Amino acid sequence: MTIKQKLCLLAGASLIAFSTSAFAESTVRVTIAEYSKGTGPYFEEAARAFEAANPDTKIQIEVVPWDNLQQKLTTDISAGANADLSIIGTRWLLDYVKESIVAPLDEHITPDFKARFIDTFLSPSVMNGKVYGLPIAASARAMYYNKDIFAKAGIDTPPATWADFKTAAEKIKQLGGETYGFGLQGKEIETDVYFYYGMWSNGGEIVKDGKSGLDSQAAIDTAKLYKSFIDGGLTQPGVTSYSREDVQNLFKQGKVATVITAPFLSNQIKAEAPNLKYGVAPIPAGPTGDKGTYGVTDSIVLFENSKNKEAAWKFLDFLFTTEQRTKFDKVEGFLPVNAEESRDPYFADNADLKVFTSLLPNARFAPVIPGWEDIAQTTSNAIQKIYLGEGEPEATLKEAAAKINETLK
Amino acid sequence: MQRATAPYILILPSFLLAAAIILWPLKEIVSLSLHDVNRFGMLRDFIGLEHFRVLFADPDFIAATWRTLVWTAAVVLGTLIVSVPIALILNEDFYGRGFARILIMLPWAISLTMTAIVWRWALNGESGMLNSALRGLGLINTNIQWLAEASTAFPMQILIGILVSVPFTVTIFLGGLSSVPDDLYEAAATEGAGSWDQFRLITLPLLRPFINIAFVLNTIYVFNSFPIIWATTQGGPANSTDILVTYLYKVGFRIGRLGEAAAVSLIMFAILLVFTIIYVRLAMREAKA
């Protein structure tokens, strides 16, 4: 090798070194909650597509199971080792905003960008007039019912009210065998929410005028109603050992005739129990016609201590293009948050999703209060006691409400 | 002079290492437990023993403490009682002993969390294997909802705890048994000692130090064991199967009261420390006597 060749090589090498330092100068780390086994691959693919268009930015995706997300964020943030962007439950957002952990996004948001969203889904992430997160995932709840079981019991339509529902469940019980009318969740995450479905129908609220609504007449009536389902053998036995996934599995196996859950169950049924004949209906209404569904969004937030806010924003902008949103919501079975996306035939002509979107005007989002998880746990504990018959509904709920009022102060 | 300083210099590096990984976090935890802390671990005002006062006023914490003691005692004693005969059998020479040893040790090769999740499925009320096995055998007519309430869930958790602690304990005992010389038994047999006397007068006393070590180590592991209870019931329903570690996890990472969580972990540390000191004292006095 001549000296000239060596020099050339050296120059080439330094050029490569220089170019990498010039182009790949920022790395954006993104913490992603794993909704399903498709979540990780989707975000990896999106990151690669973004990198191809923006060679000066590297996207590093970190996928965490939902159950560990809070723990990971808490430890990362307290050590100052958090990512630039992260998915969080919008119901936790206030705690983050109060401590100035997350950055407002308003300086980046153009009217055009804002116009991409369906307003219902963006508004939960708005606090003190500022946008602190973008709705990465959205869902609502409705009642899935098993058409075969309903037909066998001689019921033609899904129940419109809780009274109808109870009659229907009794008819299903009379079929004999181990099939139950009401799949009732009594364990782990969202045990409280499963109770709120009935409470909203009875006209109750989680928080009213800064006080817990758990000691309201609506809540007490709901507790008695659910307990009468349990005592009458109209739910699966041992409700406190069934988490949301467990009840969904019972539904797929045809062991419970109904389950109240999110749109993603449709995707699961398609994959795991394609022969199941089911329909989707609104959650039954209460005696005065009140009804409600739970609207949930998860937000993707930008951390205040991020050193790559510009690059991170660009990636957010990319994730919320119609094309990317459509891909993601198809993978996960979530509701479209993007107005243009919702007109895509996949969503617009989907019978199941239509029911969910029709419920949105009545959707209750988690109230903007500090300590949501604390309140959720107190509520779940009280409800479990009632389900188990260890606590009288009224006294147990009043005690829980007093505890929640302490948290709300 | 030289002789007196040399040992200290020699142990200094390992002391520093131990200090860095034990004493420094301990100091951090003490400071967390005495301050008002936000959910992201940032210290605010010094509040003294307020977190401890709140804890001792919480009936769930008191209940979890008692349950932890029951859990530890039941799993550790149960493990010891089950492991001694298993070790004795596996120490005998019989056809297929190697296979039997592998079977007993196998649970050890699987992560605790996996075992616990498999049990969660097995204990499922409607589609669990345990119920279908019991129904198949004609022992029950209706499904038992094992995890629905503490009265059935907690005993099952203790049984799982025993099952996963057995391999480790048996290994220790097998090591102990192999150090007992055979001629002791031969001599005892010629003197007319039956097998029960041989076990009582030779095996048990010689196995004593091994039982002690298995007792102390198991106590520490079981007291701090998280996966079994978390994977099966998450301490529920209504906190009725919570032990201190699961309570700690909920307070710290679900609810985000890191100060109280730090206080719980200090209390757990103190309980284990006191227990270990008492036990080591007792064991040493016995050894001298």
Side-chain angles (χ1 to χ4, degrees), chain A residues 67-68 70-71 73-75 77-79 95-96 99 101 178 180 186-189 236-243 246 250 253 255 373-374 377 380-382 384-385 388 390 403 407, chain B residues 38-42 44 58 60 120 124-127 135 141-143 145-150 230-234 236-240 242 249-258:
Chain A
D67 277 353
N68 298 345
Q70 276 268 54
Q71 185 201 345
L73 289 173
T74 309
T75 31
I77 292 168
S78 53
D95 289 337
Y96 285 66
E99 306 291 344
I101 302 281
E178 288 175 338
Y180 309 99
K187 187 184 182 186
E188 294 172 11
I189 186 167
Q236 82 279 15
V239 289
T240 48
S241 62
Y242 290 91
S243 68
D246 295 333
L250 289 181
Q253 294 159 4
K255 289 185 174 166
E373 291 294 327
D374 203 342
Q377 196 166 324
S380 297
N381 282 347
Q384 286 178 329
K385 273 188 201 150
L388 285 169
E390 284 170 5
K403 208 171 158 192
T407 314
Chain B
N38 77 1
R39 72 168 306 139
F40 306 107
M42 294 162 205
R44 285 184 277 196
D58 181 358
D60 287 336
R120 178 187 170 130
N124 185 298
E126 294 302 309
S127 50
R135 287 177 86 146
N141 297 321
T142 47
N143 286 330
Q145 307 295 329
W146 296 101
L147 299 178
E149 45 190 304
W230 192 258
T232 47
T233 61
Q234 293 197 353
N239 298 67
S240 58
D242 254 334
Y249 184 87
K250 284 186 197 166
V251 170
F253 294 117
R254 277 268 171 89
I255 305 183
R257 292 197 206 119
L258 294 182

Side-chain angles (χ1 to χ4, degrees), chain B residues 6 21 37 123 126 131 138 146 173 197 225 275 279:
Chain B
I21 57 175
V37 188
L123 293 172
E126 294 302 309
N131 275 343
W146 296 101
F173 289 173
D197 284 328
S225 178
F275 172 82
Y279 190 78

Side-chain angles (χ1 to χ4, degrees), chain A residues 109-137:
Chain A
I109 295 180
T110 58
D112 268 357
F113 183 84
K114 206 168 186 173
R116 290 185 201 167
F117 292 92
I118 297 172
D119 210 39
T120 326
F121 289 125
L122 186 61
S123 53
S125 316
V126 179
M127 276 164 204
N128 313 321
K130 288 185 184 146
V131 181
Y132 281 99
L134 300 174
I136 190 85

Side-chain angles (χ1 to χ4, degrees), chain B residues 126-240:
Chain B
E126 294 302 309
S127 50
M129 276 190 318
L130 187 62
N131 275 343
S132 60
L134 290 176
R135 287 177 86 146
L137 293 170
L139 294 175
I140 52 170
N141 297 321
T142 47
N143 286 330
I144 300 174
Q145 307 295 329
W146 296 101
L147 299 178
E149 45 190 304
S151 60
T152 46
F154 197 54
M156 287 316 285
Q157 288 165 333
I158 289 176
L159 285 180
I160 302 168
I162 293 175
L163 185 81
V164 298
S165 309
V166 161
F168 168 70
T169 316
V170 167
T171 311
I172 295 185
F173 289 173
L174 279 176
L177 288 172
S178 67
S179 70
V180 181
D182 282 342
D183 44 355
L184 276 182
Y185 294 108
E186 283 161 25
T190 23
E191 296 291 329
S195 49
W196 170 246
D197 284 328
Q198 286 183 12
F199 171 72
R200 197 168 52 91
L201 298 170
I202 302 173
T203 316
L204 212 49
L206 287 173
L207 211 49
R208 188 85 195 199
F210 296 92
I211 295 180
N212 282 345
I213 191 76
F215 185 80
V216 173
L217 289 180
N218 271 325
T219 303
I220 295 171
Y221 293 151
V222 172
F223 187 88
N224 284 328
S225 178
F226 178 76
I228 297 172
I229 290 190
W230 192 258
T232 47
T233 61
Q234 293 197 353
N239 298 67
S240 58

Side-chain angles (χ1 to χ4, degrees), chain B residues 84-155:
Chain B
V84 171
I86 292 179
L88 286 176
I89 294 167
L90 289 182
N91 198 43
E92 294 297 315
D93 205 1
F94 61 91
Y95 182 72
R97 181 175 77 164
F99 184 66
R101 280 191 175 186
I102 291 173
L103 270 188
I104 296 287
M105 298 301 158
L106 216 49
W108 205 2
I110 301 163
S111 97
L112 200 48
T113 316
M114 288 302 289
T115 315
I117 290 174
V118 168
W119 274 99
R120 178 187 170 130
W121 294 334
L123 293 172
N124 185 298
E126 294 302 309
S127 50
M129 276 190 318
L130 187 62
N131 275 343
S132 60
L134 290 176
R135 287 177 86 146
L137 293 170
L139 294 175
I140 52 170
N141 297 321
T142 47
N143 286 330
I144 300 174
Q145 307 295 329
W146 296 101
L147 299 178
E149 45 190 304
S151 60
T152 46
F154 197 54

